[in-house]
């Protein structure tokens, strides 16, 4: 497990990963590594992903991102209470269609915000709902 993965999982079941200063391709790999490590724990979790501010000028790496999502989706559907993406308002506007389709793309509830505190609060709420649902089932 990489150091970044270890750091991202220290607040389990809340996964926090900051790739805001990483190039998009490297960020995609790190997000994939961390979400894969979280799924390997076979326990419910929620994640806050702080993404790069800039928008890539090219669509390079789109295939890698699509493969990543397709690989992760079944596990996320089963174990992820939610993914909160922290991105600039501009990035949200530029990617509005993908953000609206987030739950369908990733297989779990998603949100996007420019505010890290709001993302953390949303992820914690998703975990609380999951815990409440689990209590009702038992």
């Amino acid at each position: 497990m990489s150091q970044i993965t270890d750091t991202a999982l220290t607040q389990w079941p809340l996964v926090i990963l900051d790739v805001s200063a990483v190039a998009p391709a490297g960020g995609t790999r790190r997000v994939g590594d961390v979400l894969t490590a979280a799924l390997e724990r076979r326990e419910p979790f929620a994640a806050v992903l702080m993404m790069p501010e800039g928008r890539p000028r090219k669509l390079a790496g789109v295939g890698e991102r699509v493969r990543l999502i397709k690989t992760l989706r079944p596990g996320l559907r089963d174990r992820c209470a939610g993914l909160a993406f922290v991105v600039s308002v501009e990035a949200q506007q530029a990617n509005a269609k993908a953000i609206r389709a987030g739950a369908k793309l990733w297989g779990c509830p998603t949100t996007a915000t420019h505010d890290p505190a709001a993302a953390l609060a949303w992820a914690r709420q998703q975990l609380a709902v999951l815990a409440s649902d689990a209590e009702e089932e038992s």
Side-chain angles (χ1 to χ4, degrees):
M1 210 181 284
S2 70
Q3 181 181 359
I4 193 146
T5 301
D6 290 340
T7 302
L9 300 177
T10 59
Q11 297 184 49
W12 189 263
L14 185 59
V15 175
I16 301 173
L17 178 63
D18 185 350
V19 292
S20 60
V22 178
T28 297
R29 281 189 293 280
R30 287 186 179 171
V31 167
D33 290 347
V34 167
L35 291 178
T36 297
L39 290 170
E40 287 172 352
R41 292 181 86 154
R42 300 196 181 287
E43 300 171 15
F45 69 95
V48 174
L49 307 169
M50 289 165 255
M51 305 304 288
E53 286 300 312
R55 184 172 181 214
R57 288 186 166 58
K58 301 182 210 173
L59 291 177
V62 169
E64 181 182 356
R65 289 189 296 274
V66 169
R67 282 187 294 279
L68 171 68
I69 291 170
K70 284 183 176 182
T71 299
L72 295 173
R73 188 181 304 131
L76 293 173
R77 188 178 301 122
D78 292 342
R79 292 186 188 86
C80 186
L83 298 175
F85 295 91
V86 179
V87 294
S88 67
V89 172
E90 295 81 15
Q92 289 178 57
Q93 292 169 346
N95 298 294
K97 185 176 178 181
I99 290 170
R100 282 192 305 272
K104 185 175 181 179
L105 285 171
W106 291 95
C108 63
T110 64
T111 191
T113 179
H114 69 282
D115 181 1
L120 283 167
W122 182 87
R124 288 184 177 116
Q125 178 61 33
Q126 293 300 109
L127 287 169
V129 168
L130 188 68
S132 173
D133 290 348
E135 284 180 16
E136 288 177 11
E137 289 178 7
S138 38

